[in-house]
Amino acid sequence: AAPLVLSVLVFTATLRLKYALRLLELDGDLRAARDAAEQAMAVFATRAPSGHLAWCHAVLARAHYRVDEFPDAVREAELAVRTAGALP
């Protein structure tokens, strides 16, 4: 049962990340986009570094930028690049 629960968590987190991206692209609720990306991050941050984790950081950077949270945007962008750079 544990692998199934983990698979559902990862699937749900992936959907949240895609939802956040759509909100950002469609000028939707920017704070909802940030919240969805943070919820996805909560799942992927507990696992080994991955492309999903790098994307979470990148989407969060974009969301923070869009709501004028520039220091947070810079931090997340740097983490996205660092995470992506650490991947094989």
Side-chain angles (χ1 to χ4, degrees):
L4 178 61
V5 171
L6 186 58
S7 294
V8 170
L9 284 174
V10 169
F11 178 74
T12 303
T14 302
L15 288 178
R16 284 189 176 120
L17 193 56
K18 289 181 180 187
Y19 175 65
L21 279 168
R22 295 307 166 262
L23 286 173
L24 291 169
E25 290 168 358
L26 300 173
D27 289 326
D29 183 345
L30 300 177
R31 296 196 191 285
R34 185 191 58 205
D35 292 345
E38 287 174 345
Q39 290 168 0
M41 175 72 75
V43 173
F44 292 119
T46 63
R47 304 171 58 79
S50 66
H52 283 101
L53 181 60
W55 267 111
C56 283
H57 286 300
V59 172
L60 273 172
R62 188 172 166 193
H64 284 302
Y65 177 80
R66 295 282 304 276
V67 294
D68 297 330
E69 297 170 344
F70 301 116
D72 292 329
V74 170
R75 183 191 71 243
E76 292 298 337
E78 289 172 346
L79 287 168
V81 171
R82 190 175 313 130
T83 302
L87 298 177

